[in-house]
Amino acid sequence: MNRLKLRAPSFWTITVIVLTALVIIFLVYPFASLFLKSFFHPKTGDVSLVNYEKFFNTPYYFNTLKRSLLVSTVTTVLAVLLGVPVAYITSRFNVWGKPVINVMIILSMLSPPFIGAYSWILLLGRNGFITNLMEKIGITMPTIYGFFGMVLVFTLKLFPYVYLYVHGALGSIDSSLEEAAESLGMNKLRRMLTVTFPVIMPTISAAALVVFMTSMADFGTPLLIGEGYKVLPVVVYEEYMSDIGGDAIIASTLSTIIVLCAVVVLFLQKAYVSRRNYRMSFLRPPQVQKLPFGRRLVLTAIAFIVAFAAMLPQFTVIVTSFLKTRGPLFVAGFSLDSYRQIGFKLSKNIMNTFLFSSIAIVLMILLGLLLSYIIVRRKSRMASFLDAAAMFPYVIPGAVIGIGLVTAFNRPPLLLTGTMAILIVSYIIRKLPFVLRSSTAILQQIDPSIEEASISLGVPPMKTFFKTTAILMIPGLISGGILSWVSTINELSSTLILYAGNTGTISVAIFNEIFKDSFGTAAALASILSFATVISLAVFNKVSGGRSVLM
Amino acid sequence: MVINNVVKKYGDTTAVKGVQLSIRKGEFFTILGPSGCGKTTLLRMIAGFNSIDEGEILFDGKRINDVPAHLRNIGMVFQNYAIFPHMSIFKNVAYGLKARKVPKQELEARVNEALELMKISQFRDRDPSQLSGGQQQRVALARALVIRPVILLMDEPLSNLDAKLRVEMRNAIKKIQRELGITTIYVTHDQEEALAVSDRIAVMNQGRVEQIGTPQDIYMKPATPFVAGFIGTTNFLSGVAEPHPGGGSVLRIENAKTVTVPGVWRGRVIVGLRPEHLHLTEAREGELTGTITLATFLGDFINYEIELTGGKTIEVNEYTKDTQQIRMVGQRVSVMPDLARMNLYPDEGEGVPA
Ligand SMILES: Nc1ncnc2c1ncn2[C@@H]1O[C@H](COP(=O)(O)OP(=O)(O)OP(=O)(O)O)[C@@H](O)[C@H]1O
Ligand SMILES: [Mg+2]
């Protein structure tokens, strides 16, 4: 036998090589250089920890870290406590208006978090609608600014992630598991606690991770509602903005610190999940339980109240967009002025948003499909590297991604600054972890012997993958795709740093309008975004063959 | 098909330690062994899902070590069926034929034939989730058979079914295998199943094949104490033997008086005796003697548990047709081995198996 015969490299080998190259160019190179900067002395250029000494010895910096961790932790706990029960209600009971609840919850994720913050200020702020109302009847509302406001906004903004993930997981549990527990004499509550929740715990932890990372990385919300309660990303952003042209080392140090904290959390979650790698054959989806009228009504009400609270900023924004304005002031009465203004000023931004997001989402789904397969089914050292690398941006705040890409690609051979390519790259980098999380979660529930069956029937591995596993993963990819689509068209933090004159997006325009005190146009833009997303969700629903938008 | 000294290593552990088998055309060949002995690993090496670290596998004289799984033309039935959940039953069965680009008409005909054979024609257009476990298993079998594979591999295909269905399915499998004359390798840890369906059985233990033979061979002449203990029930007693100048050997079992056995044996030996190869008499001086501690009437036979003088417990069966009454617990009896059915093994210092 000739042992030296050269075999053509397999499809998966080539895929791994290509993905590795992409990861090195667009992730490792820009961010390694960014973070390494913080380990050098600003004056002498020697390797040194002097920047970190400065961080820990300066309360102004150090306190921001403590605040960031506190806000994110509290937010995560609250989001899980809100998201899981509601997901359980809508996936297991015949409550009324499920599609409406689902759409409301998805839509509540729609607006950029700083719009949520802005709306809550409109309602509960110093001069807020509710504040003034309560004052009239003699009740003084607690202040919305600072810690409380941030947690409120983040929780309502982020619990939908928990809801969507858990809803999906509950829908794909093999019903025989719960039936088994039932047959073992477990009552419903104990069954839930001993079988259902432990089985979906990996999913809950994945969702909790998204919540934690997002709330820690966001700077739009704290910028608006945090006021004196400054968290880490706000300071990173401020330092970067004021450092332009100067010495960006403290921003790099702060970025590294926030990333390190997040890395620790990420690894804790990974360690947790790796010990609970359940595999199920989802041949029998769980039954939806029929409730008597009274309990059905109560559960429906609970679900709607939560969904409504999440939607409240949206309503506020929509109403605001129709208010008559004179300059920065609202005057009595309604009008379409705000819309008229954006119509001729900002239509380019609207087009950009959808063009960039569409390209990004297609690439993301393809990457998510291939990556999750390599990670779950073709475990190797390279696969773990790709996993870690693709997941890494979870822990990088959007602003830091923007800073990293701008500095890395502002000269040939890869001159991307100011192009739409750099925005698309940043969207993929930022949102791929979301697609990847849900696609790996789904893949873990697909029996590997299904592929072996196909191979043994004569279908080569690559074709087998696309005919079996890939098709079975599509529901998961769609759910991940929706989440990413929604968050991509709202991406603000990195866009703000990467956009140039003609690549501005809707969210950039909203941000600029708010800071120009043009609240009416900001609200109108946000409403357009909501409306556009409602449309895209509807289209999506059709395209996916009437499948639930969730899974 | 020939399997030549194949070895599979997972890191430090060797799951398959040089297995040597040759499987005849049309044979129903079973790999039997306790959990973790390497059965699945070996089967997946044949299927092409596990690489072969050493040795080789030959189909019709051709080495297939480097042939990718999808070109081996092997039918495989999985323990958990692995039915494609996103395809109807028809599409599941047609899948392998589509891959082979079988013309539409022939495809339809062959799928229908396979469904008929497995008696699942009525489920043709259903989704897999609407079938019971046994029905899904039939689909899996139809899907594997319809491609007319050179060999059919089954990994514990019945372990997810209830006992009655298991017997029914194993008979169906056996009948279809006979009808089609397809070479089959069947993996199980259920010895009764193995004895019932197989033409020949390979008994595996810790990555090695301990014995290959027909069900009768394996049962009547187990090659090692492990096989004797794993298949059916065997009482193990210790003995000391010495070759007899006039031929055969003289053997003392435990502390009974010596008997003469064929073959040349020297030193410590392990004596394997099945419960039905022992006869009970009233207690006699110089024989294996003990006290009945349990008597279980099982219809066609009575199973006695006897504690021998010296503390060892053995099982003895007496057939209802040969005896009138059930012996009482506490009765002292002597146990007479059927010397022709006795199996002797050299004691390699590990003593008598428990
Ligand atoms: N992928 C793997 N990595 C490491 N060790 C493995 C792997 N697969 C199997 N093993 C080990 O190889 C040995 C043989 O496993 P195998 O699955 O072949 O057993 P089996 O005889 O099929 O058992 P069972 O009857 O329980 O299915 C076991 O000790 C098992 O732990
Ligand atoms: Mg096995």
Side-chain angles (χ1 to χ4, degrees), chain A residues 530-547:
Chain A
S530 310
F531 180 69
T533 303
V534 174
I535 300 284
S536 19
L537 289 183
V539 170
F540 215 86
N541 224 0
K542 270 255 153 45
V543 173
S544 63
R547 244 189 218 115

Side-chain angles (χ1 to χ4, degrees), chain A residues 1-3 5 7 279 281-285 446-472 547, chain B residues 44 49 63 66-67 69-71 73-76 78 80-87 92 95-101 128-133 136 143-144 147:
Chain A
M1 274 265 131
N2 180 5
R3 298 219 149 257
K5 80 177 160 217
R7 231 196 249 170
R279 180 166 292 137
S281 46
F282 51 63
L283 283 181
R284 284 172 194 283
I446 297 175
D447 183 349
S449 56
I450 290 201
E451 266 191 37
E452 292 177 354
S454 164
I455 291 173
S456 78
L457 290 168
V459 178
M462 176 176 108
K463 213 167 155 199
T464 284
F465 169 71
F466 286 106
K467 286 182 84 163
T468 57
T469 309
I471 292 181
L472 291 169
R547 244 189 218 115
Chain B
R44 291 169 55 85
F49 297 126
R63 181 185 151 104
D66 299 318
V67 177
H70 68 278
L71 298 179
N73 198 27
I74 281 176
M76 182 134 181
F78 295 82
N80 47 0
Y81 323 135
I83 302 294
F84 306 127
H86 57 303
M87 297 180 192
N92 261 279
Y95 189 87
L97 296 178
K98 283 228 180 81
R100 287 166 174 70
K101 309 221 158 53
S129 61
Q130 297 167 313
L131 297 194
S132 72
Q136 289 187 33
R143 187 178 66 179
I147 61 169

Side-chain angles (χ1 to χ4, degrees), chain A residues 313-327:
Chain A
Q314 289 292 103
F315 293 138
T316 314
V317 162
I318 290 169
V319 171
T320 307
S321 74
F322 290 109
L323 292 179
K324 232 192 196 101
T325 56
R326 190 178 306 126

Side-chain angles (χ1 to χ4, degrees), chain B residues 209-224:
Chain B
V209 172
E210 297 243 345
Q211 185 174 8
I212 303 172
T214 62
Q216 296 96 300
D217 279 349
I218 301 262
Y219 189 84
M220 301 301 287
K221 292 248 157 275
T224 63

Side-chain angles (χ1 to χ4, degrees), chain B residues 10 15 34-41 156 189:
Chain B
Y10 290 116
S35 188
C37 71
K39 308 179 294 287
T40 298
T41 306
E156 313 214 9
H189 62 245

